[in-house]
Amino acid sequence: MEGHPYLGRLSESKIQIMVDMFAQNAKSWDILAELKNRDSNNVSTIRTIYNARKKHMTFERSGQSQMQVVFSFLNDQEYFFDYRANHATNELADLFFAHPGSLDRLRAFPHVLLMDATYQTNRHGLPLLEIVGVTSTS
């Protein structure tokens, strides 16, 4: 059965290790290395880790669209956000969000803001405006 995907599948305990490391923003290669360090007979591949991560993300989203996930994240993490939508097509037109800590710093140091408008750098060809504040300690 050498090379058969059945041998490389992850057990429940290994999936839990993968989920825990994924929650700590570990890279897929690091997750695979850790699993191989814990079990010398592990023949999983990087594709196994990619598939397990995708399955976990799909489960976590629980049927929500990508925009619903974004809005849930912004709401859960208490970001300030506002949006405009085209009601005729039900498409998002604009989205603005700011981290709560950034708003506190803006209130304390409102004098210097750097704005960088980078156009068509994402896969959707949409513009991105990034605003960075400077404190008295740079």
Side-chain angles (χ1 to χ4, degrees):
M1 292 188 59
E2 184 176 337
H4 197 276
Y6 178 78
L7 295 176
R9 70 186 178 138
L10 299 177
S11 65
E12 289 298 322
S13 61
K14 291 177 185 174
I15 289 173
Q16 189 58 46
I17 293 168
M18 188 268 317
V19 168
D20 293 342
M21 290 183 73
F22 177 65
Q24 297 172 3
N25 297 323
K27 294 182 177 38
S28 297
W29 284 105
D30 296 333
I31 294 171
L32 180 61
E34 179 64 24
L35 292 176
K36 289 189 180 265
N37 283 343
R38 292 183 183 213
D39 181 10
S40 60
N41 295 327
N42 187 334
V43 293
S44 298
T45 63
I46 193 67
R47 176 56 46 200
T48 307
I49 303 301
Y50 291 150
N51 291 342
R53 283 179 81 158
K54 182 170 181 162
K55 185 176 181 181
H56 172 69
M57 290 294 290
T58 302
F59 177 75
E60 287 291 311
R61 284 180 33 186
S62 64
Q64 293 179 327
S65 71
Q66 289 179 348
M67 288 311 303
Q68 289 171 325
V69 171
V70 169
F71 283 125
S72 294
F73 174 81
L74 293 174
N75 195 34
D76 293 345
Q77 299 299 318
E78 298 179 355
Y79 277 66
F80 169 79
F81 68 97
D82 196 13
Y83 66 95
R84 287 189 306 182
N86 182 341
H87 296 292
T89 61
N90 201 25
E91 292 179 343
L92 183 69
D94 299 311
L95 174 63
F96 174 83
F97 60 92
H99 189 275
S102 296
L103 294 175
D104 293 339
R105 287 182 192 86
L106 177 62
R107 287 183 195 101
F109 305 101
H111 303 295
V112 180
L113 290 177
L114 306 171
M115 296 185 196
D116 178 22
T118 308
Y119 294 98
Q120 299 178 352
T121 58
N122 57 26
R123 68 180 179 179
H124 303 291
L126 297 174
L128 171 68
L129 173 64
E130 183 177 18
I131 302 172
V132 179
V134 179
T135 66
S136 61
T137 59
S138 296

